[in-house]
Amino acid sequence: MDSNSIRSKEELYSQSISAGKRKYFFDVKETRGGDKFIVIAESRKLFDNNTGNFYFEKNKMFLYKEDFEKFQRGLNNAISFIETGIIPEEPEMFAETEHGETTAEDPLDDIFKL
């Protein structure tokens, strides 16, 4: 394995936040092409009634640089709604065309972009 592929798997930055039975991780990594991205992970401590043991369930989400602004707006809109009960004026499920027209867009398009 060359040093470039080893480097692509290294974390450039990592922060964890404990929240009760959950722990959140924010890790910045870099692709082989030099693009940075964020891995957001949630780890939850659960109890298995069958074995009588605790185990950790981990879920990950990869957030790429080109989606940072949309993700941040969506998160801010959701937090604002929770805090105020008011639906934000411009929900993220609409996109503006280059001519300023608003078109409906499938909100899952960006999530499942390959």
Side-chain angles (χ1 to χ4, degrees):
M1 199 182 283
D2 64 20
S3 63
N4 192 28
S5 61
I6 293 171
R7 183 171 171 239
S8 69
K9 296 180 182 183
E10 289 181 14
E11 293 173 357
L12 303 175
Y13 170 83
S14 184
Q15 178 182 4
S16 64
I17 298 170
S18 294
K21 292 182 180 182
R22 296 184 178 148
K23 195 167 197 175
Y24 298 99
F25 300 89
F26 298 90
D27 301 322
V28 177
K29 296 186 177 191
E30 190 173 46
T31 66
R32 291 183 182 126
D35 293 326
K36 292 176 182 65
F37 63 97
I38 299 171
V39 179
I40 301 171
E42 173 203 30
S43 180
R44 295 186 310 155
K45 187 175 183 179
L46 300 172
F47 185 75
D48 184 337
N49 288 323
N50 294 327
T51 65
N53 295 318
F54 284 98
Y55 67 98
F56 290 91
E57 178 182 86
K58 196 168 191 176
N59 296 299
K60 289 185 180 184
M61 182 179 93
F62 297 83
L63 183 60
Y64 297 93
K65 187 167 48 176
E66 62 269 18
D67 301 326
F68 287 175
E69 187 178 320
K70 287 180 181 180
F71 183 87
Q72 186 174 19
R73 260 187 296 173
L75 180 60
N76 287 341
N77 286 345
I79 291 170
S80 176
F81 175 75
I82 289 170
E83 292 175 342
T84 66
I86 299 170
I87 296 173
E89 288 184 29
E90 295 182 298
E92 266 306 297
M93 52 190 289
F94 295 95
E96 235 180 65
T97 66
E98 64 183 344
H99 302 292
E101 301 164 329
T102 303
T103 59
E105 172 179 287
D106 186 342
L108 298 178
D109 283 349
D110 286 340
I111 295 171
F112 295 107
K113 191 186 312 180
L114 297 176

